[in-house]
């Protein structure tokens, strides 16, 4: 395939900040577009977004330079060349940028082109994206709904960032989505009954004025029951404390507490006995590698331990972490690394080591649903895309409904097995 044209456009993300959308056209037909998300609680070692120096009229820093890099550097280098596959295109992107963290052209510029190319290639073949990426993909991921927001994603006093409901015990993806939405509404009624705010955070989850993570966990369990589901059978819990956010001078400071790494691990162990928790992401800071090793030894057989900031979807950082016995699952965020090929490589490295995979959105999102198809193509068995409300979150969840319907009898819902462990 030969690339005929690549255009980029500065658009706004779900927080009203600039990001970019790339459209790539192939010679002889086939066009694809992709929009790039943006995180707020970013890991230290994520690939660098290209942002302009000055805050623009949107209040956030623009991506005009990233747009120019797509149109003036990347497009001329790719146009007219014949490519046989995605890996070749991504290799040229890496070569053009030639920095370890994509800071020259910007991981946002590279990813936009990389994903748009995948879409264009699928369109040319007349295939749905998930099928084009992996021919017999048929595993529908368990959706993890972030229904209570804290940390960097909300202005409430809750230090832990994400409290997710995981309807892993439902029979199909569509039933899981329905359960998530019903629990979300039940939670709203519960909060209203208690006179608490139902305003929402960046990912569409509620952000009431609570401070203690245990209060949030209790609310989740009550909401599941109120919606008529069984906690620990139909619906489970996943957490993303995003512990970098409350790590101060070697201690974890939240809700009036100051805990050592070992004490926080003990607290998590206690919660595993009290709440139906299936998954714990970034339970400790990325800097606290000894703590991570201890956490993994202590709880890794009982619960999924996901590395997000810890691994930043980077195959090399993941390899180091695996060698040190850190975590047992990888959070997959394409924009942390910058190309589709490297995202696959990270996922494959994780799989090879027996680590599980959770596909993930960013807190700043667009209506692009690429990660829904990618989750199916990779067979991650898990996806988190925020609350079951707000368009940019539902773009992914609703896309998965279409995929499940289109796969028909071949569709399989990953269910509880996707999380391993005993919980
Ligand atoms: O920490 C996370 O997992 C993400 C997505 O939920 O947040 P952000 O995109 O702000 O890094
Ligand atoms: Mg995270």
């Amino acid at each position: 395939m030969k690339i005929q044209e690549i255009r980029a456009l500065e658009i706004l993300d779900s927080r009203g900040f600039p990001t970019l959308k790339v459209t790539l056209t192939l010679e002889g037909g086939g066009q694809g577009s992709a929009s790039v998300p943006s995180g707020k609680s970013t890991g230290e070692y994520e690939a660098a977004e290209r942002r302009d120096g000055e805050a623009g009229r949107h209040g956030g820093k623009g991506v005009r330079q990233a747009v120019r890099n797509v149109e003036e550097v990347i497009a001329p280098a790719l146009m007219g060349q014949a490519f046989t596959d995605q890996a070749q295109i991504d290799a040229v992107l890496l070569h053009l940028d030639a920095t370890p963290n994509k800071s020259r052209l910007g991981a946002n510029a590279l990813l936009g082109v990389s994903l748009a190319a995948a879409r264009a290639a699928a369109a040319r073949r007349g295939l749905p994206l998930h099928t084009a990426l992996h021919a017999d993909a048929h595993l529908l991921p368990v959706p993890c709904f972030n229904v209570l927001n804290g940390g960097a994603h909300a202005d409430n006093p809750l230090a832990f960032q994400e409290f997710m409901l995981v309807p892993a015990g439902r029979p199909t993806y569509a039933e899981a989505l329905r359960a998530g939405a019903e629990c979300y509404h039940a939670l709203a009624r519960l909060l209203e009954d208690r006179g608490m705010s139902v305003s929402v955070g960046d990912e569409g989850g509620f952000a009431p004025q609570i401070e203690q993570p245990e209060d949030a966990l209790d609310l989740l369990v009550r909401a599941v029951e109120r919606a008529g589901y069984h906690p620990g059978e139909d619906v489970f819990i996943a957490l993303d404390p995003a512990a970098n956010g409350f790590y101060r001078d070697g201690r974890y400071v939240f809700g009036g507490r100051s805990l050592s790494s070992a004490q926080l691990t003990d607290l998590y162990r206690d919660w595993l006995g009290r709440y139906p928790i299936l998954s714990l992401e970034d339970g400790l800071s990325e800097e606290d590698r000894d703590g991570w090793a201890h956490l993994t030894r202590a709880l890794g057989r009982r619960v999924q331990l996901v590395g997000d900031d810890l691994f930043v979807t980077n195959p090399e950082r993941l390899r180091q972490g695996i060698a040190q016995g850190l975590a047992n699952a990888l959070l997959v965020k394409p924009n942390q690394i910058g190309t589709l090929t490297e995202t696959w490589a990270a996922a494959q490295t994780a799989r090879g080591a027996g680590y599980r995979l959770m596909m993930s959105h960013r807190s700043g999102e667009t209506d692009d649903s690429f990660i829904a198809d990618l989750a199916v193509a990779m067979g991650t068995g898990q996806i988190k895309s925020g609350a079951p409300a707000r368009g940019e979150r539902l773009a992914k969840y609703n896309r998965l409904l279409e995929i499940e319907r289109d796969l028909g009898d071949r569709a399989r819902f990953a269910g509880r097995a996707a999380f391993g462990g005993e919980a």
Side-chain angles (χ1 to χ4, degrees), residues 164-398:
M164 291 172 270
L165 289 174
V166 186
R170 304 300 297 153
T172 63
Y173 172 78
E175 287 291 332
L177 179 56
R178 174 182 171 171
E182 289 173 355
C183 293
Y184 178 76
H185 295 131
L187 179 58
R189 292 197 300 274
L190 198 61
L191 291 169
E192 279 164 356
D193 285 356
R194 297 184 184 186
M196 296 167 104
S197 165
V198 289
S199 66
V200 297
D202 286 353
E203 299 189 351
F206 303 113
Q209 295 292 312
I210 52 178
E211 196 177 351
Q212 302 303 337
E214 289 87 347
D215 291 341
L217 288 164
D218 288 333
L219 278 167
L220 293 192
V221 171
R222 294 286 97 77
V224 171
E225 288 167 349
R226 182 161 178 161
Y229 293 98
H230 298 290
E233 275 174 54
D234 302 307
V235 184
F236 300 80
I237 292 174
L239 298 178
D240 179 7
N244 280 347
F246 52 92
Y247 190 56
R248 308 262 179 278
D249 302 323
R251 300 194 65 87
Y252 294 91
V253 181
F254 62 94
R257 291 174 259 193
S258 167
L259 303 186
S260 70
S261 176
Q263 287 170 325
L264 183 53
T265 299
D266 287 344
L267 182 63
Y268 291 141
R269 190 202 321 268
D270 175 53
W271 289 355
L272 293 185
R274 291 166 50 202
Y275 301 101
I277 297 172
L278 278 182
S279 180
L280 172 64
E281 172 186 331
D282 283 353
L284 297 175
S285 164
E286 66 184 76
E287 292 168 40
D288 183 9
R289 298 181 82 82
D290 291 343
W292 261 103
H294 170 67
L295 171 71
T296 310
R297 279 193 306 274
L299 303 181
R301 271 189 298 277
R302 291 178 61 191
V303 70
Q304 171 169 283
L305 300 171
V306 187
D308 170 15
D309 294 343
L310 182 67
F311 297 140
V312 292
T313 317
N314 181 316
E316 194 41 50
R317 297 200 70 78
L318 177 62
R319 265 190 285 276
Q320 290 165 13
I322 291 167
Q324 294 174 14
L326 313 187
N328 58 27
L330 170 72
L331 197 75
V332 181
K333 287 172 166 170
N335 87 318
Q336 280 182 327
I337 186 71
T339 64
L340 184 56
T341 303
E342 291 166 290
T343 308
W344 273 104
Q348 257 154 359
T349 302
R351 268 235 169 85
Y355 280 40
R356 290 181 286 276
L357 302 171
M358 185 188 284
M359 183 60 60
S360 173
H361 68 154
R362 299 309 305 248
S363 52
E365 266 294 338
T366 72
D367 59 359
D368 193 313
S369 60
F370 197 104
I371 59 164
D373 283 77
L374 187 57
V376 175
M378 280 183 176
T380 60
Q382 311 175 27
I383 188 170
K384 67 166 190 174
S385 174
R390 294 183 33 149
E392 76 280 4
R393 313 294 148 189
L394 286 168
K396 289 70 163 170
Y397 293 136
N398 286 341

Side-chain angles (χ1 to χ4, degrees), residues 55-180:
R57 63 186 186 283
H58 313 291
K61 291 186 173 178
V63 293
R64 283 184 301 273
Q65 186 58 49
V67 166
R68 275 199 292 275
N69 288 346
V70 171
E71 295 195 336
E72 293 168 19
V73 182
I74 297 174
L78 290 179
M79 266 149 50
Q81 281 197 55
F83 295 102
T84 53
D85 60 14
Q86 180 78 34
Q88 280 186 355
I89 294 174
D90 289 343
V92 175
L93 294 178
L94 294 187
H95 179 75
L96 284 173
D97 180 80
T99 66
N101 66 347
K102 279 92 175 175
S103 54
R104 189 168 100 82
L105 298 176
N108 45 357
L110 300 187
L111 187 71
V113 173
S114 183
L115 301 186
R119 274 231 173 86
R124 185 191 186 88
R125 295 164 65 196
L127 294 174
L129 181 59
H130 59 93
T131 310
L133 294 174
H134 191 292
D136 50 40
H138 58 267
L139 193 68
L140 269 295
V142 177
C144 302
F145 301 108
N146 182 11
V147 295
L148 282 173
N149 294 187
H153 296 167
D155 61 4
N156 58 4
L158 188 60
F160 282 40
Q161 183 177 282
E162 302 174 22
F163 292 83
M164 291 172 270
L165 289 174
V166 186
R170 304 300 297 153
T172 63
Y173 172 78
E175 287 291 332
L177 179 56
R178 174 182 171 171

